[in-house]
Amino acid sequence: MASTQVGGTTAQRPRTHGGGGAHSRARDWAEIQERMLVPLYQAVYDRLEVGPATSLLGLGCRSGLALLLAAERGAQVSGAEPETELRELAQGRGLPVSADGYEAHGERTATALPRTAHSLVTVFDQLPGTEDPAPLMAEAARRTLRGGQVVLAGWGPPERCESASVLDVAHRRAHRGAGRAPSAPFALSRPGALEALLAGAALRPAGSGLVSCPFAYADLESAVRGMLSTGLYRTAVEDSGQAVVAKELEEALQPYVRPDASVRMANVFRYVVGDKLR
């Protein structure tokens, strides 16, 4: 199993803001941004006592750190990640991650079928910015064993997230034409929104939690690259250009730059647990 070391190594790189390519954004996510959500992953795993008896599927698992942490607890893990570059990074960590979440190791045989349902399905990173979460919820419910659980996560209340003002750059720089809309990361932060998604997928709400997930970066460049890697700025970059969005991000991040040049923003994430009863 690959190491779960999450320390960043980006401060010495040239000031490129990730270059704008999909491979660069995926690498920046894995090296800079992904570790910011470790408190969320660990809080969920602690609450649900994830361990050797757990079969876990991560939907939208990105480069797979959450899966690695579950595997360290003894869980059997697999993942689904639609973005090729992120999926390849997860596979490079030795994780069974595919585009659809079915494990595929060579030919499928009657005695070696891929697992189709799991005791725990997590949706940690895919909901923020998703225009229509209904198909994702239907898939999460379908892939959960009866008696199993689904976990959804997203941003907490915007007034408790210092990154809210930085995420607003995505709205300001995204054009609203041709049926396209900028991402809305706080759309599911209102009370009851995540619970309503569970209910719509015939899952019974079974608890929730708030987790502090501060975003901390070595310097301003790392902060810009980390935020861009979230995917929430994709439309803004397409419409206004990488340089313009990066410049506005630098300006929005200025209030959070510390005397030692590091950047830190206090944030809260929320998760809900749903039981599959039938």
Side-chain angles (χ1 to χ4, degrees):
M1 182 57 66
S3 169
T4 56
Q5 181 178 349
V6 295
T9 59
T10 60
Q12 295 79 24
R13 294 186 177 183
R15 191 182 185 82
T16 61
H17 299 309
H23 285 284
S24 294
R25 286 194 304 271
R27 182 64 63 182
D28 285 344
W29 171 266
E31 293 185 353
I32 302 173
Q33 192 65 30
E34 189 174 31
R35 68 181 184 270
M36 310 300 175
L37 298 180
V38 167
L40 170 66
Y41 305 152
Q42 299 286 36
V44 169
Y45 295 162
D46 286 345
R47 177 168 186 156
L48 299 183
E49 299 181 345
V50 168
T54 307
S55 166
L56 187 154
L57 171 66
L59 289 182
C61 66
R62 297 181 73 79
S63 54
L65 180 56
L67 296 181
L68 284 175
L69 295 173
E72 280 193 343
R73 294 167 176 251
Q76 178 184 344
V77 303
S78 59
E81 175 48 53
E83 293 191 31
T84 301
E85 296 78 14
L86 288 165
R87 186 168 66 248
E88 289 175 348
L89 287 175
Q91 292 168 344
R93 286 170 157 174
L95 292 165
V97 173
S98 62
D100 60 6
Y102 289 90
E103 297 180 44
H105 302 289
E107 294 185 3
R108 299 178 179 181
T109 68
T111 58
L113 291 173
R115 179 180 287 276
T116 59
H118 301 259
S119 63
L120 174 61
V121 174
T122 60
V123 186
F124 281 133
D125 304 309
Q126 202 166 351
L127 281 176
T130 300
E131 291 186 23
D132 181 12
L136 178 62
M137 288 305 308
E139 179 69 1
R142 186 178 72 84
R143 301 298 302 277
T144 305
L145 291 166
R146 186 173 65 178
Q149 296 171 307
V150 173
V151 173
L152 310 181
W155 290 86
E159 64 273 13
R160 297 186 60 182
C161 296
E162 291 183 334
S163 293
S165 60
V166 181
L167 290 168
D168 190 55
V169 172
H171 289 262
R172 294 201 305 268
R173 281 297 171 182
H175 304 158
R176 295 175 179 268
R180 299 166 74 242
S183 62
F186 293 98
L188 294 173
S189 298
R190 65 186 184 278
L194 291 176
E195 287 84 352
L197 290 181
L198 292 176
L203 299 166
R204 185 184 69 181
S208 63
L210 288 170
V211 183
S212 173
C213 294
F215 285 11
Y217 307 92
D219 54 28
L220 189 58
E221 182 205 353
S222 297
V224 171
R225 292 172 62 179
M227 294 302 290
L228 286 174
S229 75
T230 63
L232 297 173
Y233 299 86
R234 184 170 297 149
T235 302
V237 168
E238 290 173 355
D239 291 348
S240 298
Q242 175 90 0
V244 170
V245 174
K247 182 177 183 297
E248 289 209 13
L249 272 175
E250 286 188 349
E251 294 171 354
L253 285 163
Q254 286 297 329
Y256 309 108
V257 178
R258 297 190 163 196
D260 64 355
S262 66
V263 178
R264 183 179 176 88
M265 294 176 284
N267 294 304
V268 171
F269 279 73
R270 183 169 185 263
Y271 69 87
V272 297
V273 181
D275 290 338
K276 183 173 181 179
L277 302 181
R278 62 181 188 277

